[in-house]
């Protein structure tokens, strides 16, 4: 049966005509099609329908792909807005009876002992611009000039009874959420809750909108997500307290997840096999352009409310998608909504100025025969009854969780206070270093995936992540131990040759490699899932992997909320996960240049390639799905034949009766 036979080479090929259900045994998993299955020609979208529409050669298809790229810029703004809206600024007490004393105490002679409470040292020269009275509760008309530098953590802790503050915001804003509502000292935990809100909204959005998009379609979810992100996003700018801000940010993240998910799926489903990765990477580069432009946008707005409104307003342009963006034709065909699919095919041919003679394979006549068929929609929970598909999705979920989770460990190692090398001196150096590493990672992905494929590229980047993590956790700690206790001549040489500054440089180098590789692991896991998950449940599968990535990113504010307690254990756990993922990646199939699976049976068609090809004349140790046969009743038939051949005077074991 074509729907259940797994190709030994891991490729999806044209399915043969499906025989009646009585001719074969249908397995318990339910992956095989019944006798009333639709025509194989209609189910072979990449092989028949897409060539009929011209692939990406048609002008209408190229327009639709461009329309999926443009919102990636707005998405990039929204995803990185937390770095500006919720950045912890430098702060110090300001108020009646304290300003003069504080100014006298924080004299120029003690500037050398001050340090930033939440980030690397901020340059004193920029304080004249950044620290311009960002105070929400100070007395109006106070002419006390801004201090040249903030106090250290100890001074802040000893002045938490202060009722008004001065802030030095590092992100180019005059005021942000922290300075608006004085989220410092005892209220500092509310900043982390506000960071939670967007990530938790994204996680729930991925899970819920993914299931809805598989049931009602990609287009309705996209359009309603656009409408509600405009409502909630603009209302965030009107928040009157941090509770309202955090609640609305949750719903903003929920709607943003619907936009990200549906655009990702639509982009994949529009492309032929050879163009999918390129089209997806272009969208990633557009989102990174939003990341690079975000500091300039913040400096232009100067106020967090204006910045929030300016981030959301471009989504107004996407309201035009209601009239110009169609439903996914691939999803309509996979769910057997052939009447709507026929109308959309005619719409495509009209837009591309195509003639009916180009339908060489007879897609439209075959479609006419199936118009009376009822739609057949599938929920992601159906994956539980499969043999291979659930395994592939779980492996990719663990990969994305590990990639995005360990990324924060490397980022903190490079940006944190334990690094004594002054490589990064201000907010913009931190921000653009992170963005530059992400850009280099995506560029490397383009090269590696081209030569090694999806599975090979994912394996390579995961090995690099594991090596960087293990070297940072093991080698550097071992060097530190030897440098502290030089008991032997070898240890003494190591202690002399490996100073603290050299150790910090090695730590930064391993962190950069780890961030580079882990970003590629997370991004490639999401793309891999989109390719091997069938069309009928693609958004649901993507939602699971993206939600796992969100859980990985959620560990960063959790560790910060606990004042970095448990950070080392956090890094060790994710380092162990990288070793498990290296083994699990070998279980995945290779999807490069393969047709997208359309239904559950096609998804079961993906089997992993053997690492070493079989030698000529050598029998494989394990049977493939294509070689599995139904042997039920064979034993009974053999016994019956043996009894028929035996003479009456012998027993079953061949002995004569007495």
């Amino acid at each position: 049966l074509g729907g259940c036979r797994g190709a030994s080479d891991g490729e999806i090929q044209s399915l043969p005509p499906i025989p009646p259900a009585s001719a074969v045994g249908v397995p318990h998993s339910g992956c095989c099609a019944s006798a009333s299955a639709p025509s194989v020609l209609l189910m072979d979208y990449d092989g028949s329908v897409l060539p009929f529409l011209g692939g990406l050669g048609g002008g209408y298809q190229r327009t639709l792909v461009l329309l999926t790229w443009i919102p990636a810029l707005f998405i990039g703004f929204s995803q990185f807005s937390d770095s500006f809206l919720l950045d912890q600024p430098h702060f110090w007490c300001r108020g009646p009876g304290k300003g003069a004393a504080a100014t006298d105490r924080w004299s120029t002679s003690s500037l050398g002992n001050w340090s930033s409470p939440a980030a690397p040292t901020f340059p004193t020269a920029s304080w004249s611009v950044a620290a311009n009275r960002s105070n929400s509760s100070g007395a109006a008309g106070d002419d006390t000039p801004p201090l040249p530098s903030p106090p250290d953590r100890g001074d802040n802790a000893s002045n938490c009874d202060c009722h008004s503050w001065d802030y030095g915001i590092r992100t180019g804003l005059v005021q942000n959420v922290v300075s608006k509502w004085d989220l410092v000292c005892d209220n500092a935990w509310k900043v982390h809750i506000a960071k939670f809100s967007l990530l938790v909204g994204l996680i729930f959005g991925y899970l819920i909108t993914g299931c809805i998009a598989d049931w009602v379609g990609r287009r309705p979810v996209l359009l309603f997500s656009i409408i509600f992100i405009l409502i909630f996003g603009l209302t965030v700018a009107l928040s009157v307290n941090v509770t309202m801000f955090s609640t609305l940010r949750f719903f903003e993240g929920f709607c943003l997840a619907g936009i990200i998910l549906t655009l990702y799926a639509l982009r994949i489903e529009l492309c032929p096999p050879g163009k999918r990765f390129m089209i997806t990477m272009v969208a990633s580069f557009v989102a990174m352009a939003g990341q690079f432009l975000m500091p300039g946008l913040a400096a232009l707005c100067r106020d967090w409310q204006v910045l929030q409104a300016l981030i959301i307003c471009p989504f107004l342009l996407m309201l035009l998608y209601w009239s110009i963006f169609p439903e996914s034709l691939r999803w309509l065909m996979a769910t057997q909504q052939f009447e709507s699919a026929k109308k959309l095919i005619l719409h495509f041919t009209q837009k591309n100025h195509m003639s009916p003679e180009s339908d060489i394979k007879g897609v439209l006549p075959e479609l006419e025969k199936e118009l009376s068929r009822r739609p057949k929609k599938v929920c992601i929970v159906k994956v539980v009854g499969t043999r291979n598909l659930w395994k592939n999705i779980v492996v990719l979920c663990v990969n994305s969780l590990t990639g995005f989770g360990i990324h924060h460990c490397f980022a903190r190692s490079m940006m944190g206070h334990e690094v004594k090398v002054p490589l990064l001196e201000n907010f913009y150096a931190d921000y653009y270093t992170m963005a530059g590493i992400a850009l280099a990672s995506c560029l490397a992905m383009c090269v590696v995936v081209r030569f090694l494929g999806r599975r090979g590229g994912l394996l390579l980047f995961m090995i690099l992540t594991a090596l960087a993590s293990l070297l940072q956790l093991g080698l550097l700690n071992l060097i530190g131990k030897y440098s502290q206790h030089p008991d032997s001549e070898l240890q003494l040489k190591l202690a002399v040759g490996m100073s603290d500054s050299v150790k910090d440089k090695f730590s930064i180098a391993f962190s950069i490699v780890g961030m580079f590789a882990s970003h590629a692991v997370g991004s490639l896991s999401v793309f891999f899932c989109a390719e091997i998950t069938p069309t009928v449940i693609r958004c649901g599968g993507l939602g699971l992997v993206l939600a796992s990535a969100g859980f990985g990113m959620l560990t960063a504010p959790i560790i910060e909320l606990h004042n970095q307690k448990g950070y080392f254990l956090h890094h060790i756990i994710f380092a162990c996960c990288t070793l498990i993922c290296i083994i699990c990646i070998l279980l995945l199939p290779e999807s490069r240049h393969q047709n997208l699976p359309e239904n559950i049976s096609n998804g079961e068609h993906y089997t992993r390639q053997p690492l070493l090809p079989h030698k000529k004349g050598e029998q494989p140790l394990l049977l493939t799905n294509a070689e599995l046969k139904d042997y039920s009743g064979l034993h009974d038939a053999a016994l019956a034949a043996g009894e028929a051949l035996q003479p009456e005077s012998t027993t079953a074991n061949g002995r004569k009766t007495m």
Side-chain angles (χ1 to χ4, degrees):
L1 187 61
C4 287
R5 291 175 182 170
S8 60
D9 57 354
E11 297 183 0
I12 290 185
Q13 302 172 351
S14 299
L15 299 179
I18 300 175
S22 59
V24 293
V26 179
H28 178 68
S29 62
C31 70
C32 296
S34 63
S36 61
S39 170
V40 176
L41 182 67
L42 299 181
M43 291 293 99
D44 185 18
Y45 187 90
D46 284 310
S48 57
V49 180
L50 194 58
F52 167 54
L53 299 176
L56 279 181
Y60 189 53
Q61 288 91 310
R62 289 198 298 267
T63 302
L64 294 179
V65 170
L66 178 64
L67 290 176
T68 64
W69 285 344
I70 295 174
L73 183 66
F74 316 147
I75 292 170
F77 289 151
S78 297
Q79 285 182 315
F80 296 97
S81 60
D82 272 356
S83 300
F84 298 85
L85 299 178
L86 297 170
D87 179 66
Q88 183 70 47
H90 301 283
F91 63 95
W92 61 96
C93 184
R94 169 190 168 191
K98 288 193 175 184
T103 304
D104 292 337
R105 179 165 52 87
W106 298 331
S107 59
T108 309
S109 60
S110 61
L111 287 178
N113 297 325
W114 296 349
S115 60
S116 169
T121 306
F122 194 78
T124 306
S126 59
W127 274 83
S128 59
V129 179
N132 45 3
R133 308 143 190 93
S134 300
N135 178 30
S136 63
S137 58
D142 192 344
D143 296 327
T144 303
L147 296 179
S149 181
D152 60 9
R153 185 179 298 274
D155 289 335
N156 284 333
S158 64
N159 287 276
C160 280
D161 58 344
C162 183
H163 298 290
S164 60
W165 304 90
D166 273 326
Y167 296 95
I169 302 177
R170 311 172 301 150
T171 59
L173 296 174
V174 175
Q175 185 184 66
N176 68 356
V177 174
V178 178
S179 63
K180 172 72 174 178
W181 294 302
D182 290 332
L183 304 182
V184 293
C185 291
D186 294 338
N187 292 324
W189 62 273
K190 296 180 181 179
V191 178
H192 305 298
I193 299 300
K195 291 180 180 179
F196 288 163
S197 61
L198 184 68
L199 285 174
V200 174
L202 283 168
I203 291 171
F204 279 95
Y206 288 137
L207 295 174
I208 296 175
T209 59
C211 296
I212 297 175
D214 285 332
W215 195 258
V216 303
R218 286 77 165 112
R219 183 174 178 268
V221 173
L222 174 63
L223 297 176
F224 279 102
S225 297
I226 293 169
I227 292 173
F228 284 106
I229 198 174
L230 287 170
I231 296 173
F232 292 117
L234 293 176
T235 312
V236 167
L238 304 177
S239 300
V240 296
N241 53 45
V242 68
T243 303
M244 180 179 178
F245 176 86
S246 301
T247 305
L248 292 174
R249 287 284 279 181
F250 170 85
F251 291 107
E252 180 188 348
F254 188 97
C255 300
L256 183 64
I259 297 175
I260 295 172
L261 186 65
T262 50
L263 285 176
Y264 204 107
L266 287 168
R267 201 178 294 124
I268 291 287
E269 292 171 358
L270 279 169
C271 301
K275 304 293 184 181
R276 289 194 298 258
F277 186 72
M278 180 196 70
I279 296 298
T280 303
M281 291 310 300
V282 170
S284 298
F285 288 127
V286 174
M288 286 181 188
Q291 182 179 2
F292 277 95
L293 293 174
M294 193 65 191
L297 199 64
L300 181 66
C301 294
R302 307 291 291 167
D303 188 85
W304 75 270
Q305 292 174 308
V306 178
L307 178 62
Q308 172 67 20
L310 193 60
I311 288 172
I312 298 299
C313 282
F315 286 103
L316 286 169
L317 299 175
M318 295 187 69
L319 292 176
L320 299 175
Y321 284 31
W322 193 281
S323 59
I324 62 178
F325 208 96
E327 182 57 84
S328 171
L329 177 59
R330 188 188 294 267
W331 177 77
L332 291 174
M333 298 290 288
T335 54
Q336 302 180 17
Q337 301 181 65
F338 294 124
E339 187 172 354
S340 300
K342 179 186 175 183
K343 296 178 182 178
L344 190 53
I345 288 176
L346 295 176
H347 179 68
F348 269 77
T349 56
Q350 180 184 2
K351 289 287 185 180
N352 291 328
H353 305 288
M354 298 173 59
S355 61
E357 287 77 12
S358 60
D359 186 10
I360 301 175
K361 294 188 177 182
V363 174
L364 287 176
E366 197 69 32
L367 195 59
E368 291 284 350
K369 301 176 184 178
E370 306 286 350
L371 293 181
S372 60
R373 188 177 296 275
R374 296 184 61 183
K376 186 178 180 181
K377 300 177 182 179
V378 184
C379 183
I380 186 61
V381 295
K382 291 290 184 181
V383 78
V384 178
T386 61
R387 295 177 181 177
N388 296 320
L389 192 55
W390 73 269
K391 171 198 67 181
N392 296 336
I393 293 177
V394 168
V395 169
L396 292 173
C397 285
V398 176
N399 274 269
S400 64
L401 173 67
T402 303
F404 285 102
I406 204 171
H407 188 272
H408 167 67
C409 299
F410 291 121
R412 185 186 178 279
S413 297
M414 188 172 67
M415 310 292 182
H417 300 293
E418 70 274 9
V419 176
K420 303 177 182 62
V421 179
L423 173 67
L424 306 174
E425 297 182 352
N426 58 30
F427 171 84
Y428 295 105
D430 294 350
Y431 185 85
Y432 281 115
T433 298
M434 300 276 286
I437 292 173
L439 178 61
S441 177
C442 288
L443 291 173
M445 281 173 57
C446 297
V447 178
V448 171
V449 171
R450 178 179 179 86
F451 291 100
L452 298 181
R454 279 66 159 150
R455 184 176 65 168
L458 187 59
L459 182 62
L460 174 63
F461 287 120
M462 185 60 79
I463 291 174
L464 287 177
T465 304
L467 286 175
S469 180
L470 294 176
L471 287 173
Q472 190 174 54
L473 289 172
L475 179 62
L476 295 181
N477 287 331
L478 186 64
I479 292 172
K481 178 182 177 182
Y482 282 163
S483 62
Q484 292 175 4
H485 305 285
D487 298 331
S488 65
E489 184 178 354
L490 176 61
Q491 293 178 0
L492 181 61
K493 291 180 180 179
L494 285 174
V496 173
M498 190 64 65
S499 62
D500 288 342
S501 62
V502 176
K503 179 183 173 183
D504 289 337
K505 289 178 181 178
F506 272 107
S507 179
I508 291 175
F510 292 146
S511 297
I512 292 175
V513 173
M515 292 171 65
F516 168 86
S518 61
H519 182 274
V521 166
S523 301
L524 197 52
S525 298
V526 176
F527 175 75
F528 209 158
C529 177
E531 283 199 320
I532 67 175
T533 307
T535 301
V536 291
I537 56 171
R538 178 163 294 119
C539 286
L542 264 175
L544 289 174
V545 176
L546 287 170
S548 300
F551 276 115
M553 290 185 285
L554 195 62
T555 58
I558 290 176
I559 294 295
E560 292 173 1
L561 181 62
H562 290 83
N563 199 19
Q564 308 300 337
K565 292 180 180 178
Y567 159 76
F568 189 72
L569 180 61
H570 173 213
H571 198 168
I572 289 177
I573 291 173
F574 278 115
C576 295
C577 289
T578 59
L579 301 177
I580 298 173
C581 290
I582 290 173
I583 301 173
C584 293
I585 288 172
L586 299 176
L587 302 175
L588 296 174
E590 177 55 60
S591 59
R592 180 172 58 171
H593 301 310
Q594 304 302 318
N595 296 344
L596 290 177
E598 305 299 336
N599 48 41
I600 300 292
S601 62
N602 291 150
E604 286 291 280
H605 225 92
Y606 270 116
T607 55
R608 67 180 180 88
Q609 297 176 344
L611 295 178
L612 298 175
H614 298 302
K615 295 181 181 179
K616 202 176 237 185
E618 180 184 4
Q619 280 294 99
L621 296 177
L622 296 176
L623 293 175
T624 62
N625 290 340
E627 297 168 332
L628 294 175
K629 296 179 176 62
D630 186 10
Y631 292 102
S632 59
L634 185 61
H635 180 66
D636 296 337
L639 287 178
E643 291 175 359
L645 293 175
Q646 290 176 355
E648 294 181 358
S649 59
T650 60
T651 60
N653 58 9
R655 294 183 179 181
K656 291 184 179 181
T657 56
M658 300 299 295

